[in-house]
Amino acid sequence: MPNSQDSTVSVGQCLAWSAQLEHVSDSARLDVELLLCQVLDRSRTWLYTWPEKDLTETQLTLFKKYLERRAQGEPLAYILGQREFWSLPLEVNSSTLIPRPDTELLVEVTLECLGNSTQTQRVLDLGTGTGAVALALASERPAWLVQGLDVSPEAVALAERNRERLGFSNASFTVSDWFSAVSKQTLYQAIVANPPYIAPDDPHLDLGDVRFEPRSALVAADQGLADIQQIAKTARQFLAPGAWLLLEHGWEQGEAVRQVLTELGYDKVETRKDYGDQERITYGCFGGDAL
Ligand code: GLN
């Protein structure tokens, strides 16, 4: 970064500093634009319309701070404090996983499995994090009652803030270690989860954004399958006859997850591929005929 102590720095000059992010980001230019938009509270179009505008001292100090954090590898979503999921702007922070585009497939398949009946359907989202999946489902189906659970009180508070800001009254969030806070009397039409599924020794954990995300949201024992196994086993007590369990998993875990579900007595077990053509969501229905 040039020493700008005595001179002013323009928007155009700031944009040129993207070179400093090329070692951590495949989208260095876009990252710098988004950081600058946040600092200036302006759109990307504005940056290109007014490249000669100078930053104030306060703006420049903040921008340099953001740039430095990003150069250290901190995920852009944590610096901006926001990430879009299913077209919903969500607050994010380091207490949760950053919502991934691939997880939108979990929403899509859940909507397909339950159909678009306008009846009330109860849906549980385990390990909800930012509330992304629960809120996306609540936004699509106002008649559904979507309950998001997370073991982290910080995550639940974050999800609740997202719910409140987006104004969905058909979603709610509760602290729960998987099913621990779920009433035994309640049955659900779908239980969904994007649980931790990365094996503890996976080298992917030392690369990129995941280094900054909570390990508890990423890593599971038994080659990443321990939580999937536990959820699939316990979920059977909470599924209405013919209701669905839908799980996100790693790209190489499709076969293992299909086997887990089949052995536990789920029917109609299938896997769907994500936008990168990798097996990503496996689902099945339990008891009775599929809804
Ligand atoms: N899909 C994420 C990744 O591989 C991990 C998400 C998860 O563990 N649930 O980076």
Side-chain angles (χ1 to χ4, degrees):
M1 202 176 310
N3 183 354
S4 51
Q5 205 100 34
D6 306 316
S7 56
T8 52
V9 176
S10 69
V11 165
Q13 285 171 303
C14 287
L15 290 175
W17 292 350
S18 62
Q20 294 172 40
L21 299 184
E22 273 158 17
H23 67 292
V24 283
S25 176
D26 296 335
S27 54
R29 178 74 182 194
L30 180 62
D31 291 6
V32 165
E33 289 174 9
L34 295 174
L35 293 173
L36 204 48
C37 288
Q38 176 101 340
V39 168
L40 302 176
D41 195 18
R42 300 284 188 178
S43 67
R44 282 171 71 204
T45 314
W46 189 93
L47 302 181
Y48 286 98
T49 313
W50 303 104
E52 72 288 356
K53 289 262 185 205
D54 288 329
L55 274 69
T56 66
E57 213 170 301
T58 319
Q59 288 168 337
L60 186 59
T61 307
L62 185 61
F63 178 63
K64 284 181 175 173
K65 216 176 270 172
Y66 284 175
L67 203 61
E68 179 56 28
R69 285 168 64 186
R70 186 68 188 112
Q72 300 293 326
E74 188 172 340
L76 189 72
Y78 286 160
I79 304 172
L80 297 175
Q82 210 195 64
R83 175 55 49 98
E84 199 166 282
F85 181 85
W86 201 263
S87 299
L88 303 171
L90 298 176
E91 182 193 333
V92 300
N93 65 36
S94 57
S95 69
T96 74
L97 209 65
I98 300 162
R100 313 282 205 265
D102 285 331
T103 303
E104 293 188 351
L105 186 62
L106 182 59
V107 177
E108 237 174 83
V109 182
T110 306
L111 293 172
E112 277 174 36
C113 283
L114 266 59
N116 52 12
S117 126
T118 48
Q119 282 175 1
T120 300
Q121 311 272 5
R122 286 185 179 277
V123 178
L124 196 60
D125 174 27
L126 298 167
T128 195
T130 57
V133 171
L135 292 168
L137 292 171
S139 77
E140 290 293 325
R141 298 287 187 268
W144 291 8
L145 294 174
V146 187
Q147 210 178 331
L149 306 179
D150 205 288
V151 72
S152 153
E154 291 82 20
V156 168
L158 176 68
E160 176 52 25
R161 283 200 297 282
N162 280 323
R163 186 201 68 74
E164 173 88 45
R165 191 172 26 76
L166 293 166
F168 300 133
S169 55
N170 57 331
S172 64
F173 297 99
T174 310
V175 176
S176 179
D177 186 1
W178 296 135
F179 293 92
S180 67
V182 184
S183 149
K184 294 265 186 313
Q185 270 77 55
T186 315
L187 293 179
Y188 294 86
Q189 274 72 46
I191 296 177
V192 307
N194 173 17
Y197 54 69
I198 301 179
D201 58 353
D202 190 325
H204 168 70
L205 291 166
D206 298 323
L207 302 172
D209 285 5
V210 290
R211 289 172 300 163
F212 291 80
E213 294 178 295
R215 287 280 145 138
S216 58
L218 292 166
V219 174
D222 301 339
Q223 281 102 49
L225 291 167
D227 289 296
I228 285 179
Q229 172 86 36
Q230 191 194 335
I231 291 168
K233 193 168 175 216
T234 316
R236 297 175 300 176
Q237 300 165 42
F238 297 95
L239 287 166
W244 296 90
L245 174 70
L246 303 103
L247 298 168
E248 179 173 324
H249 52 73
W251 63 285
E252 292 174 309
Q253 293 171 330
E255 195 177 335
V257 179
R258 285 192 294 278
Q259 195 178 335
V260 167
L261 263 53
T262 307
E263 280 172 6
L264 289 167
Y266 288 85
D267 291 323
K268 301 184 168 71
V269 175
E270 279 180 38
T271 299
R272 288 278 285 270
K273 289 187 174 173
D274 64 20
Y275 312 117
D277 210 28
Q278 311 281 7
E279 291 196 328
R280 185 61 64 190
I281 308 291
T282 293
Y283 56 104
C285 84
F286 191 74
D289 293 315
L291 296 171

